[in-house]
Amino acid sequence: MAKRETIVVVDFGGQYSQLIARRVRDLKVYSELIPCTTSAEKIKEIDPIGIIFTGGPLSTFDETALSIDPEVFNLGIPIFAICYGMQLTAQMLGGKVQTAKVGEYGKVEIEYEDHPIFEGVNKKGTVWMSHHDSVAKVGKGFKVIAKTKDTAIAAYANDEKKIYGFQFHPEVVHSIQGLDIMKNFIYKICNAKGEWTMDSFVADQVASLKEKLKGKKVLLALSGGVDSSVCAALLQKACPEGLICVFVDHGLLRKGEREEVERVFKEQFKVNLITADAEKRFLKKLKNKRDPEKKRKIIGKQFIKVFEKEAKKIGKVDFLAQGTIYPDVVESGNGKSQVIKSHHNVGGLPSVVDFEEIIEPLRDLYKDEVRKVGFELGLPESLVMRQPFPGPGLAIRVLGNITKDKLDLLRDVDFIFREEIAKAGLDKEIWQYFAVLTNMRSVGVMGDERTYDYTVALRGVSSVDAMTADWYKIPYEVLDKCSNRIVNECKHINRVVYDITSKPPSTIEWE
Ligand code: XMP
């Protein structure tokens, strides 16, 4: 097989590190993250056509500041250094970094010089900044190629060594034409051919999984969500005779969900699927538990127990497969970023399954990339475009204490909401939409009678990767219809509200 054109992204712990790698993949060059401790020797072995340095939370002045093998600058491979990576590069190559009087956070106006890296980019633009330190002086061979009001050196270039530094984040959508700058680096400086696509990912993955899984037994926890479904389809393609999927029905699913999973996987895809009925067990353990993180922990633990029971029946397997995708890894804390919510689908299972090795074929991908893989594998659109659904299910959408009655009520409300969204033709339009049973009751009046019932909140968001999200502007008439139907058809709901906050500062789920 011909060598795969690759750009490596050297990770200094920035929030956007994996996003940078996926931007490069979007631009049709294979890209993966490597730690900043990787030696120049190792990078040379990978033989990338370009190297990108990410940003990071530290200052180059910190005692624990991360660095890079200086030999990397002598490999003759073009370097694109962002934020912290830019400052570090300047410092290591004869320049100076200072802690600026004024930090820059958010959108900032920028002015670019004439330079090939900015070809096709407007002279003045808007970029996204997030820094306090900045480069005060560039080393020999470097020139300044962009400035902002508060940052004299917003970008620099060393054309001879092909090293380019950017104080701003070209990878985030708020940097207008940021992708054009990355594209210029990839195509004009690194001379990429740009032949990488999702179908090559699928072909590569299936081929390597086939080889690895030949004659082996693979166990996968299937939730019916996009990630584990795509994972199941990928594995089914690579190893149909060895794959066993276990689906845990914890009683926290949406209306009709279990039936749908069984129909699609058992009947349509002929997957060897085992369903574990565990509603009672979960509800018992969740009784009177109100704290969201506690609920997650309980569900995670019980899920493992139920899975363990099934795994014991199956016996030893060679591989334990997991549908982990990249945002799960980030939001569960990869050791560098802060833990926002503990997603229970990362880790946990290994200790209870008798297996040789873990496989996570989707670990480096974002949600929308996973969907592309799903289509490549020929999964039906209803499944591939299915909105994300959290592992703890409705337990984190019934705020506070959970009971079966509340779950059933929420299931009904959620079903109406989904039905009306589909009728309005918005089901593929809205990235994620659901109902939340708030713990709040208020006074209402129905048929001349006072009511004191629950408030339900509807939420709809648009997003690409769940890392950020905007609240979706659902037309009033659709909301009106939902509200009417919900209060009329669902007993004990007398108020419906729509959530109009984005992420950040909110999160998508309420708990
Ligand atoms: P948040 O609420 O963190 O959600 O903005 C981001 C995305 O992740 C889903 N989510 C979860 N998924 N286990 C999961 O598997 C969880 O505990 C969990 N919490 C949130 C959420 O639905 C959204 O798509």
Side-chain angles (χ1 to χ4, degrees):
M1 205 161 59
K3 195 183 131 315
R4 180 162 65 181
E5 200 174 61
T6 300
I7 286 187
V8 290
V9 177
V10 176
D11 186 11
F12 290 100
Q15 287 286 327
Y16 305 120
S17 301
Q18 194 59 256
L19 180 64
I20 298 169
R22 72 89 24 106
R23 292 286 186 239
V24 178
R25 296 197 292 266
D26 281 349
L27 292 166
K28 297 196 165 23
V29 175
Y30 179 72
S31 180
E32 64 183 26
L33 220 54
I34 58 172
C36 61
T37 47
T38 311
S39 68
E41 194 63 32
K42 176 79 190 149
I43 293 177
K44 196 172 160 195
E45 240 172 67
I46 301 172
D47 196 17
I49 59 166
I51 301 170
I52 298 181
F53 290 172
T54 74
L58 298 174
S59 159
T60 55
F61 301 119
D62 288 344
E63 250 174 52
T64 52
L66 297 169
S67 194
I68 181 85
D69 181 348
E71 278 307 308
V72 82
F73 298 111
N74 298 325
L75 293 174
I77 304 170
I79 295 176
F80 188 95
I82 299 169
C83 199
Y84 178 83
M86 174 229 203
Q87 294 161 10
L88 179 72
T89 303
Q91 197 173 58
M92 291 177 79
L93 298 178
K96 238 181 102 187
V97 176
Q98 65 179 5
T99 298
K101 284 194 202 82
V102 187
E104 283 179 308
Y105 299 92
K107 286 181 190 169
V108 172
E109 301 302 308
I110 192 164
E111 251 180 77
Y112 301 112
E113 299 288 325
D114 269 333
H115 189 276
I117 199 95
F118 299 133
E119 200 182 304
V121 176
N122 297 334
K123 282 232 136 333
K124 289 188 176 179
T126 305
V127 292
W128 182 262
M129 291 275 198
S130 180
H131 69 112
H132 209 89
D133 288 356
S134 61
V135 175
K137 190 176 140 254
V138 291
K140 214 166 139 233
F142 286 82
K143 60 184 177 203
V144 178
I145 55 171
K147 63 172 184 218
T148 70
K149 187 164 91 33
D150 293 311
T151 304
I153 306 178
Y156 61 63
N158 181 329
D159 292 317
E160 198 196 322
K161 289 193 140 222
K162 296 194 176 167
I163 298 175
Y164 309 88
F166 306 87
Q167 184 53 74
F168 54 93
H169 288 270
E171 71 278 17
V172 305
V173 287
H174 313 289
S175 288
I176 311 296
Q177 293 193 292
L179 277 194
D180 292 338
I181 301 171
M182 291 183 76
K183 197 170 174 184
N184 285 339
F185 174 72
I186 294 168
Y187 285 94
K188 300 217 156 67
I189 311 286
C190 304
N191 298 316
K193 291 195 208 73
E195 289 166 346
W196 194 81
T197 54
M198 268 302 158
D199 52 334
S200 26
F201 173 87
V202 172
D204 282 3
Q205 280 284 354
V206 171
S208 73
L209 285 172
K210 230 177 202 161
E211 200 168 300
K212 194 171 180 166
L213 308 180
K214 202 169 172 190
K216 309 270 185 191
K217 240 181 176 178
V218 189
L219 182 59
L220 170 75
L222 176 66
S223 71
V226 180
D227 310 340
S228 63
S229 298
V230 171
C231 192
L234 192 63
L235 292 167
Q236 179 78 355
K237 192 152 185 180
C239 176
E241 63 299 321
L243 178 67
I244 307 162
C245 292
V246 173
F247 173 61
V248 176
D249 179 359
H250 48 25
L252 307 165
L253 299 166
R254 287 168 294 191
K255 203 178 202 170
E257 202 154 44
R258 171 178 171 163
E259 295 74 15
E260 192 191 3
V261 166
E262 290 183 331
R263 195 187 64 242
V264 171
F265 285 98
K266 242 184 189 158
E267 292 169 26
Q268 219 170 315
F269 284 85
K270 312 284 178 223
V271 167
N272 181 0
L273 176 71
I274 298 163
T275 303
D277 217 328
E279 181 184 35
K280 284 207 179 83
R281 178 191 192 113
F282 276 82
L283 291 188
K284 197 168 150 210
K285 297 286 175 188
L286 285 166
K287 200 168 171 194
N288 293 328
K289 298 294 184 299
R290 292 178 168 80
D291 177 69
E293 281 303 276
K294 269 208 189 107
K295 289 185 191 176
R296 276 193 174 77
K297 296 267 151 63
I298 291 168
I299 293 164
K301 196 169 153 199
Q302 291 311 312
F303 182 86
I304 288 167
K305 288 216 157 145
V306 174
F307 196 83
E308 182 178 28
K309 224 168 101 190
E310 296 304 324
K312 272 201 181 128
K313 288 185 214 156
I314 294 162
K316 186 171 165 48
V317 294
D318 301 284
F319 294 95
L320 174 67
Q322 292 191 325
T324 316
I325 71 165
Y326 183 67
D328 302 332
V329 180
V330 178
E331 301 237 331
S332 288
N334 56 5
K336 288 177 196 132
S337 346
Q338 210 191 349
V339 178
I340 311 290
K341 295 178 184 182
S342 53
H343 288 195
H344 85 258
N345 52 353
V346 181
L349 294 181
S351 57
V352 299
V353 178
D354 191 5
F355 70 104
E356 290 286 328
E357 202 185 323
I358 272 204
I359 36 171
E360 294 177 313
L362 310 173
R363 196 181 164 89
D364 290 338
L365 303 185
Y366 279 84
K367 196 86 181 185
D368 57 319
E369 292 182 303
V370 173
R371 290 197 160 119
K372 285 183 195 157
V373 172
F375 278 125
E376 281 302 325
L377 288 164
L379 280 169
E381 187 178 285
S382 60
L383 215 119
V384 175
M385 293 315 290
R386 188 172 177 165
Q387 56 166 320
F389 186 64
L394 300 184
I396 54 165
R397 293 181 181 170
V398 169
L399 305 190
N401 187 29
I402 301 166
T403 62
K404 173 127 172 46
D405 286 348
K406 284 186 184 177
L407 286 167
D408 285 340
L409 183 57
L410 180 60
R411 264 189 274 269
D412 288 341
V413 173
D414 187 70
F415 188 75
I416 293 172
F417 186 38
R418 285 192 284 145
E419 209 169 57
E420 288 304 324
I421 291 293
K423 270 196 219 156
L426 294 171
D427 51 337
K428 287 189 201 84
E429 191 70 26
I430 309 178
W431 196 78
Q432 192 171 7
Y433 52 98
F434 52 87
V436 176
L437 186 64
T438 75
N439 216 355
M440 196 191 83
R441 287 186 191 206
S442 66
V443 176
V445 56
M446 271 181 185
D448 294 335
E449 261 181 52
R450 180 187 192 270
T451 58
Y452 188 62
D453 275 330
Y454 287 112
T455 297
V456 81
L458 304 180
R459 179 125 171 95
V461 295
S462 49
S463 176
V464 175
D465 49 26
M467 306 288 273
T468 59
D470 281 330
W471 66 277
Y472 192 91
K473 279 84 190 165
I474 296 179
Y476 283 166
E477 52 282 12
V478 180
L479 288 173
D480 191 38
K481 194 99 182 267
C482 293
S483 165
N484 267 322
R485 276 195 64 193
I486 291 167
V487 289
N488 282 318
E489 295 175 35
C490 306
K491 213 166 167 229
H492 300 304
I493 303 287
N494 68 354
R495 199 173 290 273
V496 180
V497 297
Y498 188 57
D499 182 348
I500 54 165
T501 34
S502 293
K503 173 185 180 178
S506 275
T507 50
I508 295 175
E509 303 289 346
W510 278 38
E511 282 197 337

